[in-house]
Amino acid sequence: MKKYLSRPEEFVLLVLYQIEGEAYGNNIRKKLAEVTGKYWSIGSVYVPLDRLENKGLVKSFTGKITPERGGRAKRCYEITKGGLERLAELQKAHNTLWSKMPNLSFGEDK
Amino acid sequence: MPQIFVKIISFLLVNNHPEAVIGDTEEEYLERLSDQGSFNALFWIIGQIIILVPLHYSNSLQWSIAMFRNYFKIGFRNLVKEKLISIISIAGLGFGIAAAALIIIYVHFETSYDKYHDNSDRIYRVYTKFDDSKDNNKGYGIVIRALAPALREEPSIESATSLYKFGRDLIKIDKQIYNNLNIFSADSGFFNVFTKSHIAGDLTNALSNPSSAIITEETALKFWGTTDVTGKNLEFISNFFEDRIYSVAAVIENVPANSHLEYDILLSHYSQPIFDRFGGDEFLTYFKLQEFADPELSMNLVSGIFEKVNEHRREIGYDGHAGIIPLEDIHLKGSELFRGLSGKGNLNFVYIIIIIAAAILFIAVLNFINLLSAKFQNRFNEIAVRKVVGAGRNSILSQFISEAIVIALFSAVASIVITGLTLNKFGILVNRNLEVYFNSYPWIIGGILFLSIMIAVCSAVFPALRIAKLQCVNILKNKSGGGKFSRLVPLTVMVQFAIVITLLSSIIVIYSQVQFMKEQELGFDPEQIVYFNYKDSEKYEAIKNKLEQIPEIASVSGSQSIPGIGKSGQLGKIKGFSGENISFSENRIQPGYIKTFGMKLIAGRGFKENFPPDRKAVILNEKFIRMMNLTPHQALERELEYSGRLLKIIGVVADFNFSSFEQNIGPLALTNYSDRINIMAAKIKTKNLQNTIEGIEETIKDFLPDFIYEYSFVDELFDKMYKEIEINNTLLIYSALLAIILSAMGLFAVTLFAVLRRTKEIGIRKVLGGTVSGINILLLKDYLAWVLISNIVAWPVSHYVLSFWLQNFVVKIDLHIGYYLSTGITALSIAVITIIYITTRAALNNPVNNLRYE
């Protein structure tokens, strides 16, 4: 049985898809902050990332060592084939559900 | 990024990828440093650290729970592995805690008496004392009627109330007669002193109306099956007071079980005109102080008022003084308020039972400690492996403590079940209604759980500390340093048996004392005497003569009172005696009384039938004569002078017990001037009482068709007096039995472990030709010496305690060594049987099995 994704996991997966190039802790957090408008503290992205990895939706690899990082390696992530399939399913489910909804952003111009 | 932040973050971080996270942080920090300046960057990093703190701690808690789960699992497996030992330790602690819980409930109940009233600490009762000592709660529980109204006048007293307790009077409703009711009359101050909420009707002025009555909910349900009964009539029928119809003015809530003042019906104080003629001490009086009043000063005021209202009685020699007892003290400290309501509890017994509970718990805890150390000792290898793998001292400590908690939780469940099942039976045993505690059962469960965990932690901490400190190299080399435990074990055995011996000898002595008191000469023969209330003096002679014609009846006599019921107080002396008046008891009797009760005349004669000169005669008891410094024969020439009467002494009767056994027999006068009879008593010759009793009823009904015949037996009156002592005894016997069983269980387990440890030794001894009895002696001598020493400790302690207890009694047994010897031998035999049972089993084993062990 497929395990449901939590909201943070879903966000992280979506963000991961949108990042061009190397996706690692910091740029994932920045992107997330842009989208959700909420600050993500250091380390907080690794919990959903670990869970996604356990579910086989993303895979991680050790990235470059840069001097800004005090000689520490990056942990980079990319979506797997299974992850892409899951995104497609999610999109389909969301579209079906949202298409029947009226615009709920009251007071905003279309 | 400063190194200090890196360190803090790596300490707090609970992430799977610390390298990556710290790298990310470093990168962002540098970015912020260049973009926003050093202050902002610093602010950011500190904010990040603060966020990490709660995460860190919630995570470490989660891991320790996981670790504890492992400890609990191992603990549980160990429990299952050694089933017998586990059952013994669980059951032992379970019974110990259950016994302690029951006793705590009982003690709580005993000390909760009368505290349910609002401001109960400001309510007091006045009693009459006859000596100048400070309030020692000894005297008559009743006072003059005028006291309560006088107290109400006093500004520092909020209110006062006067009550009268009716005796064997009846209530009749629609031809149905109810007896055994607690009927009181109370004045209008009652509800100002005692808080009571009403269920139906109106309490204000309810008691001021002379023909109104207030009944409790329970009584209303008993009479009419409903509480909506205001305005209904009940008929008060008395052999002494005026028969009268009352109407129910209000129904009030039931009197709680922890109330010394138990009543079913309150009649208006103004309904019996005869009260106005009661000039003596007849009434219970309670008062409530104002909130601002200083208790010490108010007590002096009350004494002053008491003196004032009794002033007119001083002239006729009245020598009572005010004694004051707080309401909350009456139950436990008021047992010597003779007449009126006395306290049923016994403060000393409450102390004794607390000590016993502590002793039982102590035995159970010692057992538990012994078992734990023995269990831990057998697991050196496990500990060594744990230590090698990296367990620290603290984790070994917490492992053993949590294991002890597992066992204790099983015991807690056992004791919760035991307490629940036995609470009701225990209540019956101690003659108290403990039902109210069923409502507070969650508290009891919580208390038991808390107690068990506390015991587990306290008993595990020392053996666990010792084990945690051991060097694992030594353990693995099999150089276990467990010697120190085994030195402690015999000491605990000694303490346990000392407790057992003390309890046992106490029981034997207390039991002997009660038996001794029962066998005491009462001074009369209470067997086969039936008595009933009777007040019609006109037909007395005729009925008496008719009754005496019944062949089964030996003799019949009417009187004001009989032994076991009470007496009235008088003041006087034998004419010519140089000293002061003495206070003595008087009982007005009819001829035949001495014969009916089988009392012994030591000089002179009893009253004669139809002999008018005897109306001015008196019979005194021996004690009276001795107090007047006369011999019985000298007394026969004198006269008794009291209350304006002068009566010729015609006989001296041997002392007999008129009421309680713990009291000295006081001076007594038997008179014949009055025809007022309250009670008739008949001595029956045959064992077939029922026919005779019916015969008596038929005879009386021939004369008085409306007579209400309610009979009792005199010996039952005296049996009642032993009841509290016997309850206390039963409780003592049960607790001592429990203590013995627990100690034997402890010894059993300890020996079992000792035998297990020496399995190899026993095998080798047998191979080399050792006998079963030889091996028995080997193991016996380890513990028996300690059991013997426990005797030496226990004997002086119990001797001291028991001599102290026996001081309460006027007639008492002598303590001799036999009591202690017998208990010592009992304890010793229990120990010997327990040890021999186990060692014989081990010694009979085939040595091959023993040697193959491990």
Side-chain angles (χ1 to χ4, degrees), chain B residues 581-624:
Chain B
N581 279 343
I582 62 162
S583 84
F584 63 91
S585 310
E586 183 191 5
N587 185 18
R588 290 146 212 165
I589 62 171
Q590 298 298 321
Y593 184 85
I594 290 174
K595 187 184 168 202
T596 306
F597 285 90
M599 289 150 190
K600 221 171 78 203
L601 277 168
I602 48 177
R605 59 176 176 87
F607 295 119
K608 280 189 238 171
E609 307 260 0
N610 304 322
F611 186 60
D614 273 2
R615 294 284 181 187
K616 294 200 160 185
V618 64
I619 299 168
L620 299 180
N621 74 348
E622 247 183 303
K623 172 86 182 175
F624 204 131

Side-chain angles (χ1 to χ4, degrees), chain B residues 450-467:
Chain B
F450 177 75
L451 189 65
S452 331
I453 292 172
M454 285 299 293
I455 289 174
V457 173
C458 295
S459 14
V461 107
F462 292 105
L465 260 179
R466 200 158 276 285
I467 278 176

Side-chain angles (χ1 to χ4, degrees), chain B residues 799-842:
Chain B
H799 185 76
Y800 176 75
V801 173
L802 289 170
S803 325
F804 187 72
W805 180 73
L806 280 176
Q807 285 173 8
N808 289 329
F809 298 92
V810 179
V811 286
K812 57 189 164 200
I813 51 167
D814 293 321
L815 289 172
H816 57 80
I817 189 102
Y819 291 119
Y820 307 120
L821 267 182
S822 56
T823 50
I825 290 165
T826 314
L828 205 62
S829 354
I830 291 169
V832 169
I833 289 166
T834 313
I835 296 170
I836 286 184
Y837 172 75
I838 296 167
T839 48
T840 308
R841 226 177 44 165

Side-chain angles (χ1 to χ4, degrees), chain B residues 762-779:
Chain B
I762 293 170
I764 292 170
R765 278 178 190 273
K766 282 199 81 177
V767 169
L768 295 178
T771 56
V772 174
S773 54
I775 291 164
N776 261 326
I777 289 165
L778 181 80
L779 285 152

Side-chain angles (χ1 to χ4, degrees), chain A residues 24-26 29-30 39-43 46-47 50 53 66-75 77, chain B residues 3 6 9 13 15-28 30-32 44 48 51-52:
Chain A
Y24 70 101
N26 271 3
R29 278 172 49 228
K30 274 187 196 138
Y39 184 78
W40 289 60
S41 72
I42 53 163
Y46 288 97
V47 177
D50 281 350
E53 194 171 5
T66 56
E68 308 91 67
R69 297 178 61 86
R72 294 182 186 86
K74 281 178 186 167
R75 194 174 176 81
Y77 289 87
Chain B
Q3 205 53 37
V6 176
I9 292 172
L13 212 56
N15 202 288
N16 290 339
H17 320 291
E19 277 283 305
V21 177
I22 295 170
D24 287 355
T25 318
E26 181 107 44
E27 198 185 313
E28 188 163 347
L30 287 178
E31 217 177 282
R32 282 176 187 260
W44 173 79
Q48 294 301 306
I51 293 170
L52 285 177

Side-chain angles (χ1 to χ4, degrees), chain B residues 313-331:
Chain B
R313 299 163 77 199
R314 296 278 175 224
E315 291 155 22
I316 54 165
Y318 179 74
D319 64 347
H321 298 284
I324 290 154
I325 181 168
L327 178 71
E328 293 172 359
D329 284 356
I330 296 175
H331 176 66

Side-chain angles (χ1 to χ4, degrees), chain B residues 67-68 71 387 390-402 464-465 467-469:
Chain B
M67 200 62 215
F68 270 101
Y71 294 157
K387 282 196 143 186
R393 199 172 138 258
N394 282 340
S395 61
I396 299 272
L397 207 66
S398 45
Q399 182 195 349
F400 281 98
I401 290 176
S402 50
L465 260 179
I467 278 176
K469 263 197 281 187

